[in-house]
Amino acid sequence: MVFKKLILVFLGPPASGKGTQAEILGKDLGIPVISMGELLRHEYNHHTKMGREIEKYLKKGELVPDNIIQKILLKRLKKEDVKRGFILDGFPRRIEQIVYLEKIKQKFLSPFDFLVVFYIRISDREAKVRVVNRRVCECGAAYHLKYNPPKKKGICDICGKKIYRRQDDDPKIVNKRLKDFHHRIKPILNYFADKNVLIEINGEQRIEKVQKEIKNKLNKFLNFV
Ligand code: AMP
């Protein structure tokens, strides 16, 4: 499907499934997924100095400061596997982060390559239900207690570790997270829409159907430009 180098960006409200969709597409295209949330949780789970700083923001459901985000992303982008393109999950999340994304684009892409942005749309009502039922594992696996529970209660199917609720999935802060999200995402979506690189996806469908819509729309986009 891909003949050019791609940077794909996945944006969407909490629990919109952007991480899941990015992983499926990344495997299919043979390019790595760089999940900002995962990179931050990795620091936090390994109790690094930066991880302790990050914890303060994750606990409150707030965005982590840009200097930390840039440091972590820069380190990840030094790895060899990004040379053929990559997927960014959850970045940019603040309008200021677009400046950094443009720098990344200049460094990695030639004028013949593409940056494409997917926005996975789900309603706030759906996001709240999903957040409350979401459980994750340190290995990156994610579960929904009703629709996609682990085979053994409380245990990850993939690595056998205990699954847990993310700190920022606390039902008490989900409304605030959603409000902040909408406030911040608007100018970001406008920016990409103006550049004609924004593709909207209906996230309220079965996982396979969402993926099909993503692939169809990406193919169409690449054939048109
Ligand atoms: P996610 O796994 O994408 O839902 O991200 C989990 C949390 O990590 C968010 O609620 C933020 O606190 C933080 N985070 C993720 N991406 C970013 C970003 N681009 N900028 C700042 N904070 C971020």
Side-chain angles (χ1 to χ4, degrees), residues 12-15 18-19 35-38 40-41 54 57-66 69 73 89-94 97 134 166 168-169 177:
K18 58 188 158 52
S35 157
M36 225 33 252
E38 279 294 314
L40 293 168
R41 281 189 289 278
I54 290 166
Y57 299 93
L58 292 189
K59 257 186 177 166
K60 289 188 275 184
E62 286 174 6
L63 291 190
V64 173
D66 287 350
I69 296 293
L73 198 48
D89 163 15
F91 180 89
R93 235 161 162 137
R94 268 194 194 105
Q97 291 179 356
R134 176 160 62 181
R166 276 168 42 174
D168 55 347
D169 278 350
R177 263 177 91 196

Side-chain angles (χ1 to χ4, degrees), residues 137 139 141 143 152-163:
C137 177
C139 74
Y143 299 90
K152 201 171 156 199
K153 198 178 167 198
I155 301 294
C156 177
D157 291 348
I158 297 166
C159 71
K161 283 195 185 147
K162 255 189 168 174
I163 57 170

Side-chain angles (χ1 to χ4, degrees), residues 107-118:
K107 185 171 171 215
F108 283 92
L109 299 187
S110 80
F112 308 105
D113 299 324
F114 297 107
L115 179 132
V116 185
V117 179
F118 292 100

Side-chain angles (χ1 to χ4, degrees), residues 159-208:
C159 71
K161 283 195 185 147
K162 255 189 168 174
I163 57 170
Y164 61 95
R165 173 183 264 163
R166 276 168 42 174
Q167 285 189 326
D168 55 347
D169 278 350
D170 183 338
K172 281 186 238 131
I173 56 172
V174 67
N175 281 329
K176 179 181 176 290
R177 263 177 91 196
L178 281 168
K179 201 170 149 224
D180 286 354
F181 170 79
H182 289 302
H183 173 69
R184 293 211 170 92
I185 205 69
K186 235 182 185 173
I188 296 177
L189 295 181
N190 287 341
Y191 177 89
F192 291 125
D194 283 349
K195 293 201 166 273
N196 292 320
V197 294
L198 181 67
I199 298 178
E200 272 207 28
I201 302 292
N202 171 13
E204 292 195 27
Q205 315 177 74
R206 280 189 291 113
I207 291 176
E208 311 81 63

